[in-house]
Amino acid sequence: MSTLQVDGERLLGRLKALGEVGRDAEGRLVRLAATDADKAGRDLTAAWLAEAGLEVMVDRIGNLFGLWRPSGCAEQAALMLGSHIDTVRDGGIYDGAYGVLAGLEVIQSLMAAGFAPARPIMLVAFTNEEGARYAPDMMGSLVYAGGLAVDEALAARGEDGTVLGAELARIGYAGALEPGFVRPHAYVELHIEQGPVLEREGLPIGVVESLQGISWRRVTFTGRANHAGTTPMAMRRDAGHAAAVAIAHLRELAAASGPATVATAGTLRLEPNVINVVPRLASFTVDLRDPDDARLAAAEAALEAFLADLAEREGLSLTVEVLARFEPVVFDEAICQRIERAAEARGLAFRRMTSGAGHDAQMIARISPAAMIFVPSQGGISHNPREHTEPEQLVAGANVFLDVVAGLVSEQGD
Amino acid sequence: MSTLQVDGERLLGRLKALGEVGRDAEGRLVRLAATDADKAGRDLTAAWLAEAGLEVMVDRIGNLFGLWRPSGCAEQAALMLGSHIDTVRDGGIYDGAYGVLAGLEVIQSLMAAGFAPARPIMLVAFTNEEGARYAPDMMGSLVYAGGLAVDEALAARGEDGTVLGAELARIGYAGALEPGFVRPHAYVELHIEQGPVLEREGLPIGVVESLQGISWRRVTFTGRANHAGTTPMAMRRDAGHAAAVAIAHLRELAAASGPATVATAGTLRLEPNVINVVPRLASFTVDLRDPDDARLAAAEAALEAFLADLAEREGLSLTVEVLARFEPVVFDEAICQRIERAAEARGLAFRRMTSGAGHDAQMIARISPAAMIFVPSQGGISHNPREHTEPEQLVAGANVFLDVVAGLVSEQGD
């Protein structure tokens, strides 16, 4: 068993402290990417990175880095540890922040133990992982991995009308470094499961070997606004009615695809959104996921066909915009085995699993071997203030992370 | 035939001028009650009233009055002419404004002709007829008629979080007069039809003898926010899904009730309204109307039962708030006959009809004999920038209005 141990108190204290940053007037955690709340979270995190003696850097897409580059190994490719600190609206305190703060804890624990790494360790908090303000989600890691041009990402317009590049500049996190400036030796991300599997099976550790494919669309029906009292039902071109039929249909669509397919309409907007006016326009998003790419593509095609039929039947115009499309990802087998051995050595039960959520790891997997470690989420609840993982589970996960990292930076060579 | 004539050019010019007030950055007419845009529209209207020599007054609910009270008849009960100048979001220029400006035109035409009325004429622009910002709609006339306490109405909180009383004070239209300060001798309102009937039948004048009952509800489902990728479909408590099922059902509900029943979901709001989060909360409005009160009540009951079943089946909590409920109204037969005679005398074809829309006249009918005159709406389109009535139809309607008013103020006695 490893003699290394993270400082659990420090990790839990930082999680709690960061979790207090970005609360709105109702006490809800709303640390959306590149907002003032995000700036406050970034400032606190950057201060901790600097305190720990790391080189703090920011790239053009706002990814925040803390680099431990001891002399003697500076020329080696860095091991990258990362996650994100942005949240959804009214989110929990663990999603993302746990991976970043545990990464910092791992580095500080190695430092404290006098550990001499064979390569640098670069910790990253990626910009706009949640996609709650700008699409696509996992934006900072996608740009870092070369999957989206940085200028295109900076031009992203939010649901609130803001432009990401301007917002990053405004909060002081538009850095000069070109995303992808270091190609990592490997990438490891620790995260809460955000699903019910580990808790249901009583397992403290998940070894994430793959990740679902994700497909995001914005669907807009346009009809005709008219008076709700004087327009006979048969003469209406009601965009809101069509949106309701389509959203209600998503459950059947997922069921027809199979038990692994999930479909969600998370946002909806009506125009003019007035009580006594038939909606002229209805715009909503569809989030479709499946671990199997062919099945995901079939569900997407079925959705498009349903929407086109519906629009024609209702006399509406239809636009469908693909906001994001990520294929399922298979992670690096060697890193997965390393996680298994680390859990085993600490006497922690584990299982291999697929992630239902998207993570920065799936983007970095394009340019480097990558894998993820999961810890349980109580009730499977996430993106919700009741998101919770027991303190001892958080510390256990961080210790497994520590051992995996120690192993990966003990070996020479790219 | 009457020798009186309105000044059509002046009326059309004012309609156009007022229609330019309250445009947003995209050029849309958004003169919601008690906004800065509404203030600008009120200021222009009040200036015209004062120019015409009327006494300008404002009551506590912000209703704007122009009183013509020639000496000799000041003690008689006033004839009231009215409508509203607030609009829906992205509305047209005729809905409401036509009735107010034609009323002013009628008074000025009588003045110009040296007409000596046997009673005062009081023109009113009622506050918040549309209900696009504060519920219930037809608020100013409802309060004036004693159907809602003024303090309760002033405390109304808008969809935008504002409070009506504070907004009226802010824009300078919180008057001192107690609503209902004058009990009218009679009330006449001229309005565009906002429906397709007159145009389809080629008739310039509608004699409105009754008005549909209106029922407004806000329906809120509350479930559980959760991650869109990791929560199996069967484990969701998706408030947005339930709202979609309920809104899609409204069409069947109306069809089961009968061809005269209309049902509309005009507004909808999801929380947290994030693309990758299962909606925790969905809140939408239902506008139900029917000219028959028993059938309206049956449709309301059917809706409530459907919603309760749905909430139970989906494991959601449900709240249903009745925002407004107005029984169908039958207008004054003597005034209707007066309108028929006036149209006939001018050689204008007409028909008796029911109004599908709610109007201030239905409120004032509680305290005074009342009726309405309709002119055609092209394509039946209203609450829409394409709302249109031909200029000659607008002038013809105003002339019928003029003759009806002249007749009503020629007679002595209450």
Side-chain angles (χ1 to χ4, degrees), chain A residues 194 216 224-227 229-230 233 236 241 251 263-264 266-268 273-275 277 314 357 380 382-384 386, chain B residues 194 216 224-227 229-230 233 236 241 251 263-264 266-268 273-275 314 356-357 380 382-384 386:
Chain A
Q194 306 180 273
W216 281 5
R224 192 165 61 196
N226 222 319
H227 193 290
T230 59
M233 297 302 284
R236 297 179 175 209
H241 173 80
R251 191 179 288 180
T264 307
T267 80
L268 189 147
N273 204 40
V274 171
I275 190 167
V277 182
E314 296 285 329
S382 185
H383 286 181
N384 187 303
R386 293 191 295 122
Chain B
Q194 305 181 273
W216 282 4
R224 191 164 60 197
N226 222 322
H227 194 289
T230 60
M233 296 302 283
R236 298 179 174 208
H241 173 79
R251 191 179 287 181
T264 307
T267 80
L268 190 146
N273 203 40
V274 171
I275 189 166
E314 296 286 328
S382 185
H383 285 181
N384 185 305
R386 293 191 295 121

Side-chain angles (χ1 to χ4, degrees), chain A residues 91-127:
Chain A
I93 72 169
Y94 304 108
D95 177 2
Y98 175 50
V100 172
L101 298 180
L104 173 59
E105 188 53 48
V106 161
I107 294 172
Q108 288 192 282
S109 301
L110 292 174
M111 287 172 160
F115 190 92
R119 60 181 70 256
I121 302 179
M122 188 156 85
L123 176 65
V124 196
F126 289 109
T127 293

Side-chain angles (χ1 to χ4, degrees), chain B residues 175-386:
Chain B
L177 289 166
E178 208 56 45
F181 66 99
V182 165
R183 191 181 190 85
H185 169 69
Y187 177 87
V188 189
E189 181 168 354
L190 174 64
H191 207 283
I192 60 166
E193 180 195 343
Q194 305 181 273
V197 175
L198 292 176
E199 186 195 40
R200 197 194 290 146
E201 302 186 7
L203 300 173
I205 297 292
V207 179
V208 186
E209 62 182 359
S210 63
L211 204 140
Q212 285 186 342
I214 302 181
S215 162
W216 282 4
R217 277 172 174 65
R218 176 174 291 118
V219 179
T220 305
F221 289 111
T222 310
R224 191 164 60 197
N226 222 322
H227 194 289
T230 60
T231 316
M233 296 302 283
M235 288 177 63
R236 298 179 174 208
R237 288 168 52 201
D238 184 340
H241 173 79
V245 169
I247 292 171
H249 176 69
L250 289 182
R251 191 179 287 181
E252 290 161 55
L253 183 115
S257 175
T261 312
V262 288
T264 307
T267 80
L268 190 146
R269 183 171 64 84
L270 298 181
E271 281 184 15
N273 203 40
V274 171
I275 189 166
N276 57 349
V277 181
V278 175
R280 181 187 74 77
L281 179 146
S283 188
F284 60 99
T285 52
V286 178
D287 174 317
L288 267 177
R289 306 196 192 197
D290 201 297
D292 182 87
D293 199 47
R295 205 165 48 207
L296 181 59
E300 289 176 293
L303 174 64
E304 299 260 0
F306 182 88
L307 295 171
D309 279 1
L310 178 60
E312 191 179 338
R313 205 162 62 235
E314 296 286 328
L316 303 171
S317 76
L318 166 68
T319 61
V320 180
E321 186 188 351
V322 176
L323 299 177
R325 178 64 165 84
F326 301 121
E327 290 181 14
V329 170
V330 176
F331 285 130
D332 184 74
E333 178 58 24
I335 304 179
C336 288
Q337 289 182 11
R338 201 181 276 277
I339 298 166
E340 289 180 327
R341 288 197 303 272
E344 217 157 37
R346 287 192 182 258
L348 298 167
F350 60 87
R351 61 164 281 172
R352 291 282 184 118
M353 61 194 303
T354 291
S355 171
H359 291 291
D360 293 309
Q362 85 188 72
M363 299 307 163
I364 303 303
R366 297 174 175 215
I367 56 168
S368 143
M372 296 187 71
I373 307 165
F374 273 179
V375 296
S377 291
Q378 195 172 289
I381 296 169
S382 185
H383 285 181
N384 185 305
R386 293 191 295 121

